[in-house]
Amino acid sequence: MESQEYALNRTKAQIACESRVQKRLFKVAREIVSLASKYRRGATLTNENGFIAASQRIALGVADGIENDIAVCAKTACSILNIGTESTEAFLVSKVFGKTSMERTTSYLKNFAEDMVRMCKAGVLMKYTDSQLMSAIRTGYKDPYTTSVITKARKEDINIATPSYGKGVFHSAYQNIVRNARQMVAVAWGRAEQQYGKEHGAIGYYIFRGSSYPCAHCDDETTYLHHFGDPFPPLHYRCVCYVKFVYKKEEE
Protein backbone atom coordinates (compact mmCIF):
# COMPACT_ATOMS: atom_id res chain seq x y z
CA MET A 1 0.00 0.00 0.00
CA GLU A 2 1.23 3.51 -0.84
CA SER A 3 2.20 5.54 2.22
CA GLN A 4 -0.21 8.38 1.41
CA GLU A 5 -3.07 5.92 0.98
CA TYR A 6 -2.16 4.33 4.30
CA ALA A 7 -2.33 7.74 6.03
CA LEU A 8 -5.75 8.32 4.46
CA ASN A 9 -6.96 4.97 5.78
CA ARG A 10 -5.52 5.86 9.20
CA THR A 11 -7.79 8.91 9.25
CA LYS A 12 -10.76 6.83 8.08
CA ALA A 13 -10.14 4.38 10.92
CA GLN A 14 -10.21 7.23 13.43
CA ILE A 15 -13.47 8.54 11.98
CA ALA A 16 -14.98 5.05 12.09
CA CYS A 17 -13.97 4.67 15.73
CA GLU A 18 -15.44 8.06 16.60
CA SER A 19 -18.72 7.09 14.93
CA ARG A 20 -18.91 3.88 16.97
CA VAL A 21 -18.15 5.72 20.21
CA GLN A 22 -20.65 8.46 19.42
CA LYS A 23 -23.47 5.94 19.08
CA ARG A 24 -22.60 4.43 22.45
CA LEU A 25 -22.45 7.80 24.19
CA PHE A 26 -25.74 9.01 22.74
CA LYS A 27 -27.39 5.83 24.02
CA VAL A 28 -25.94 6.56 27.47
CA ALA A 29 -27.22 10.14 27.30
CA ARG A 30 -30.72 8.98 26.45
CA GLU A 31 -30.75 6.46 29.30
CA ILE A 32 -29.65 9.14 31.78
CA VAL A 33 -32.40 11.51 30.61
CA SER A 34 -34.95 8.73 31.03
CA LEU A 35 -33.62 8.14 34.54
CA ALA A 36 -34.04 11.84 35.41
CA SER A 37 -37.80 11.46 35.91
CA LYS A 38 -37.07 9.30 38.98
CA TYR A 39 -35.31 12.25 40.65
CA ARG A 40 -37.55 15.03 39.39
CA ARG A 41 -40.09 16.75 41.60
CA GLY A 42 -41.69 19.43 39.47
CA ALA A 43 -39.06 22.11 38.81
CA THR A 44 -36.53 20.67 41.25
CA LEU A 45 -34.07 17.81 41.20
CA THR A 46 -33.87 15.67 44.34
CA ASN A 47 -31.02 13.45 45.55
CA GLU A 48 -28.60 14.79 42.95
CA ASN A 49 -25.75 12.66 44.32
CA GLY A 50 -27.87 9.55 43.89
CA PHE A 51 -28.71 10.60 40.34
CA ILE A 52 -25.01 11.10 39.56
CA ALA A 53 -24.07 7.70 41.00
CA ALA A 54 -26.79 5.91 39.03
CA SER A 55 -25.83 7.79 35.87
CA GLN A 56 -22.18 6.86 36.27
CA ARG A 57 -23.12 3.21 36.51
CA ILE A 58 -24.96 3.54 33.21
CA ALA A 59 -22.00 5.28 31.58
CA LEU A 60 -19.42 2.79 32.83
CA GLY A 61 -21.46 0.04 31.21
CA VAL A 62 -20.08 1.06 27.79
CA ALA A 63 -16.40 1.22 28.81
CA ASP A 64 -15.58 -2.26 27.50
CA GLY A 65 -17.46 -1.53 24.29
CA ILE A 66 -15.49 1.65 23.65
CA GLU A 67 -12.19 -0.11 24.24
CA ASN A 68 -13.31 -2.84 21.85
CA ASP A 69 -14.13 -0.19 19.24
CA ILE A 70 -10.62 1.20 19.65
CA ALA A 71 -9.06 -2.26 19.32
CA VAL A 72 -11.06 -3.18 16.19
CA CYS A 73 -10.16 0.06 14.40
CA ALA A 74 -6.53 -0.09 15.56
CA LYS A 75 -5.94 -3.68 14.46
CA THR A 76 -7.32 -2.93 10.99
CA ALA A 77 -3.85 -1.53 10.29
CA CYS A 78 -2.32 -4.95 10.94
CA SER A 79 -4.69 -6.56 8.46
CA ILE A 80 -3.85 -4.00 5.79
CA LEU A 81 -0.10 -4.41 6.34
CA ASN A 82 -0.33 -8.18 6.80
CA ILE A 83 1.55 -8.15 10.10
CA GLY A 84 0.86 -9.72 13.49
CA THR A 85 -1.40 -8.01 16.02
CA GLU A 86 0.57 -8.88 19.15
CA SER A 87 2.47 -5.57 19.33
CA THR A 88 -0.70 -3.54 18.73
CA GLU A 89 -2.63 -5.50 21.35
CA ALA A 90 0.14 -4.92 23.90
CA PHE A 91 0.16 -1.19 23.14
CA LEU A 92 -3.60 -0.87 23.59
CA VAL A 93 -3.42 -2.11 27.20
CA SER A 94 -0.15 -0.37 28.10
CA LYS A 95 0.24 2.84 30.06
CA VAL A 96 0.67 5.94 27.90
CA PHE A 97 1.72 9.03 29.87
CA GLY A 98 0.92 7.22 33.11
CA LYS A 99 -2.52 5.77 32.30
CA THR A 100 -4.01 3.04 30.16
CA SER A 101 -6.68 3.82 27.62
CA MET A 102 -9.24 2.00 29.77
CA GLU A 103 -8.31 4.13 32.78
CA ARG A 104 -8.82 7.28 30.75
CA THR A 105 -12.06 6.06 29.24
CA THR A 106 -13.42 5.10 32.66
CA SER A 107 -12.54 8.48 34.15
CA TYR A 108 -14.02 10.39 31.23
CA LEU A 109 -17.21 8.31 31.28
CA LYS A 110 -17.79 9.29 34.90
CA ASN A 111 -17.35 12.91 33.88
CA PHE A 112 -19.71 12.39 30.94
CA ALA A 113 -22.39 11.12 33.29
CA GLU A 114 -21.97 14.24 35.44
CA ASP A 115 -22.23 16.42 32.33
CA MET A 116 -25.53 14.77 31.44
CA VAL A 117 -26.84 15.21 35.00
CA ARG A 118 -25.96 18.92 34.84
CA MET A 119 -27.86 19.23 31.58
CA CYS A 120 -30.85 17.46 33.11
CA LYS A 121 -30.67 19.73 36.14
CA ALA A 122 -30.62 22.83 33.94
CA GLY A 123 -33.64 21.59 32.01
CA VAL A 124 -35.58 20.69 35.14
CA LEU A 125 -34.91 24.09 36.72
CA MET A 126 -36.11 25.74 33.51
CA LYS A 127 -39.30 23.64 33.71
CA TYR A 128 -38.62 21.68 30.52
CA THR A 129 -40.98 18.82 29.79
CA ASP A 130 -39.45 15.35 29.45
CA SER A 131 -39.62 15.59 25.65
CA GLN A 132 -38.00 19.05 25.68
CA LEU A 133 -35.25 17.72 27.91
CA MET A 134 -34.60 14.80 25.57
CA SER A 135 -34.42 17.17 22.62
CA ALA A 136 -31.98 19.42 24.52
CA ILE A 137 -29.72 16.47 25.29
CA ARG A 138 -29.80 15.31 21.69
CA THR A 139 -28.50 18.65 20.42
CA GLY A 140 -26.11 19.51 23.26
CA TYR A 141 -24.59 16.34 24.73
CA LYS A 142 -21.34 16.69 22.77
CA ASP A 143 -20.51 20.17 24.06
CA PRO A 144 -22.78 21.01 27.02
CA TYR A 145 -20.87 24.04 28.28
CA THR A 146 -20.79 25.98 25.01
CA THR A 147 -24.23 25.78 23.39
CA SER A 148 -26.85 23.81 25.25
CA VAL A 149 -29.59 23.93 27.85
CA ILE A 150 -26.87 24.80 30.39
CA THR A 151 -25.93 28.02 28.59
CA LYS A 152 -29.62 28.88 28.20
CA ALA A 153 -30.11 28.36 31.94
CA ARG A 154 -27.26 30.74 32.72
CA LYS A 155 -29.00 33.45 30.72
CA GLU A 156 -31.92 32.98 33.11
CA ASP A 157 -29.55 33.44 36.09
CA ILE A 158 -29.58 29.72 36.84
CA ASN A 159 -26.02 28.82 37.72
CA ILE A 160 -24.74 25.45 36.52
CA ALA A 161 -21.03 25.10 37.29
CA THR A 162 -18.51 24.33 34.55
CA PRO A 163 -16.12 21.60 35.72
CA SER A 164 -12.35 21.81 35.46
CA TYR A 165 -10.75 18.49 34.54
CA GLY A 166 -7.17 19.78 34.47
CA LYS A 167 -4.66 21.23 32.03
CA GLY A 168 -4.93 20.00 28.46
CA VAL A 169 -8.36 18.45 29.03
CA PHE A 170 -11.60 19.57 27.39
CA HIS A 171 -14.46 20.87 29.53
CA SER A 172 -16.68 18.44 27.61
CA ALA A 173 -16.18 14.83 28.68
CA TYR A 174 -17.56 13.69 25.33
CA GLN A 175 -14.64 15.39 23.56
CA ASN A 176 -12.16 13.77 25.94
CA ILE A 177 -13.56 10.28 25.30
CA VAL A 178 -13.51 10.78 21.54
CA ARG A 179 -10.05 12.34 21.51
CA ASN A 180 -8.61 9.44 23.51
CA ALA A 181 -10.23 6.88 21.19
CA ARG A 182 -9.08 8.60 18.02
CA GLN A 183 -5.56 9.13 19.29
CA MET A 184 -5.16 5.53 20.43
CA VAL A 185 -6.22 4.36 16.98
CA ALA A 186 -3.92 6.84 15.23
CA VAL A 187 -0.86 5.96 17.31
CA ALA A 188 -1.56 2.23 16.90
CA TRP A 189 -1.57 2.72 13.13
CA GLY A 190 1.73 4.59 13.34
CA ARG A 191 3.31 1.84 15.43
CA ALA A 192 2.04 -0.83 13.03
CA GLU A 193 3.56 1.04 10.10
CA GLN A 194 6.90 1.23 11.89
CA GLN A 195 6.72 -2.51 12.58
CA TYR A 196 6.08 -3.12 8.89
CA GLY A 197 9.06 -0.97 7.89
CA LYS A 198 11.42 -2.74 10.27
CA GLU A 199 10.24 -6.19 9.22
CA HIS A 200 10.90 -5.29 5.58
CA GLY A 201 14.39 -3.96 6.14
CA ALA A 202 13.85 -0.21 6.15
CA ILE A 203 16.71 1.78 7.67
CA GLY A 204 14.81 5.06 8.02
CA TYR A 205 12.04 7.18 6.58
CA TYR A 206 11.10 10.60 5.30
CA ILE A 207 8.00 12.40 6.54
CA PHE A 208 5.77 14.27 4.10
CA ARG A 209 2.93 16.70 4.73
CA GLY A 210 -0.50 15.29 3.99
CA SER A 211 -2.17 18.69 4.22
CA SER A 212 -1.49 22.31 3.32
CA TYR A 213 -2.82 23.41 6.73
CA PRO A 214 -0.10 25.48 8.47
CA CYS A 215 1.78 23.42 11.07
CA ALA A 216 5.30 24.41 12.08
CA HIS A 217 5.80 21.14 13.98
CA CYS A 218 5.03 18.97 10.98
CA ASP A 219 7.05 21.24 8.68
CA ASP A 220 10.12 20.77 10.88
CA GLU A 221 9.86 16.99 10.68
CA THR A 222 9.90 16.96 6.86
CA THR A 223 13.40 18.39 6.60
CA TYR A 224 15.60 15.36 7.26
CA LEU A 225 15.99 11.59 7.05
CA HIS A 226 14.53 9.97 10.16
CA HIS A 227 15.71 6.82 11.88
CA PHE A 228 13.53 4.52 13.95
CA GLY A 229 13.14 6.09 17.37
CA ASP A 230 12.58 9.55 15.90
CA PRO A 231 9.11 11.15 15.77
CA PHE A 232 6.74 9.19 13.53
CA PRO A 233 3.28 10.17 12.21
CA PRO A 234 0.83 10.92 13.60
CA LEU A 235 2.85 13.76 15.08
CA HIS A 236 -0.13 15.29 16.89
CA TYR A 237 -3.89 14.96 17.21
CA ARG A 238 -5.52 14.83 13.74
CA CYS A 239 -2.13 14.73 12.01
CA VAL A 240 -2.36 13.53 8.38
CA CYS A 241 1.35 13.36 7.56
CA TYR A 242 2.70 10.23 5.91
CA VAL A 243 6.07 8.52 5.49
CA LYS A 244 8.18 6.92 2.80
CA PHE A 245 10.59 4.27 3.99
CA VAL A 246 14.22 4.21 2.98
CA TYR A 247 15.59 0.74 2.29
CA LYS A 248 19.18 1.61 1.46
CA LYS A 249 21.61 4.19 2.75
CA GLU A 250 21.26 7.56 1.16
CA GLU A 251 23.10 10.77 1.67
CA GLU A 252 21.15 12.98 4.01
Side-chain angles (χ1 to χ4, degrees):
M1 174 177 289
E2 291 293 328
S3 300
Q4 197 165 3
E5 183 183 357
Y6 182 84
L8 177 61
N9 283 326
R10 185 181 71 213
T11 298
K12 289 180 178 178
Q14 293 176 74
I15 293 171
C17 186
E18 179 173 351
S19 178
R20 287 170 174 249
V21 172
Q22 177 184 335
K23 290 176 182 177
R24 293 185 189 279
L25 293 180
F26 182 59
K27 183 174 182 292
V28 168
R30 290 179 59 182
E31 288 184 26
I32 291 174
V33 174
S34 297
L35 181 65
S37 60
K38 178 179 177 181
Y39 299 91
R40 182 173 190 168
R41 298 294 182 272
T44 61
L45 199 63
T46 63
N47 190 12
E48 187 174 338
N49 288 336
F51 186 18
I52 290 173
S55 298
Q56 288 180 333
R57 286 192 291 273
I58 292 172
L60 291 175
V62 302
D64 287 338
I66 289 175
E67 290 304 303
N68 183 66
D69 293 337
I70 293 171
V72 168
C73 294
K75 288 191 286 187
T76 301
C78 301
S79 298
I80 289 174
L81 298 173
N82 194 26
I83 60 174
T85 61
E86 294 83 1
S87 179
T88 295
E89 290 169 351
F91 165 70
L92 293 175
V93 296
S94 67
K95 289 194 174 184
V96 180
F97 297 111
K99 290 184 179 181
T100 64
S101 177
M102 174 60 91
E103 287 171 339
R104 286 191 172 87
T105 295
T106 298
S107 175
Y108 296 151
L109 281 171
K110 290 180 180 178
N111 294 338
F112 180 74
E114 291 187 39
D115 286 350
M116 296 307 98
V117 169
R118 291 188 184 98
M119 290 188 72
C120 289
K121 181 179 180 179
V124 168
L125 293 175
M126 292 181 69
K127 300 179 181 180
Y128 276 26
T129 64
D130 290 345
S131 60
Q132 286 176 317
L133 189 54
M134 184 64 77
S135 178
I137 293 290
R138 182 178 295 108
T139 58
Y141 77 104
K142 293 182 181 180
D143 198 3
Y145 304 104
T146 300
T147 305
S148 76
V149 63
I150 290 177
T151 55
K152 290 179 180 179
R154 287 172 180 162
K155 291 178 181 179
E156 301 294 327
D157 293 327
I158 299 172
N159 184 39
I160 305 293
T162 300
S164 176
Y165 297 135
K167 184 178 180 181
V169 183
F170 291 110
H171 286 312
S172 164
Y174 174 92
Q175 299 299 335
N176 290 319
I177 295 167
V178 167
R179 180 173 65 172
N180 178 69
R182 286 187 62 123
Q183 192 67 356
M184 289 296 294
V185 170
V187 173
W189 274 64
R191 290 172 60 91
E193 191 173 17
Q194 290 183 73
Q195 179 182 338
Y196 172 87
K198 292 176 182 178
E199 289 181 1
H200 287 77
I203 56 96
Y205 53 91
Y206 286 102
I207 295 177
F208 294 86
R209 292 295 310 275
S211 166
S212 60
Y213 188 83
C215 179
H217 179 49
C218 290
D219 286 341
D220 289 344
E221 298 300 335
T222 63
T223 59
Y224 62 98
L225 173 64
H226 290 265
H227 299 285
F228 291 106
D230 290 346
F232 194 98
L235 302 170
H236 56 77
Y237 185 56
R238 295 188 184 275
C239 178
V240 293
C241 289
Y242 62 96
V243 305
K244 287 189 177 180
F245 289 115
V246 176
Y247 292 96
K248 63 180 179 179
K249 292 185 178 180
E250 298 178 355
E251 291 185 4
E252 298 185 27

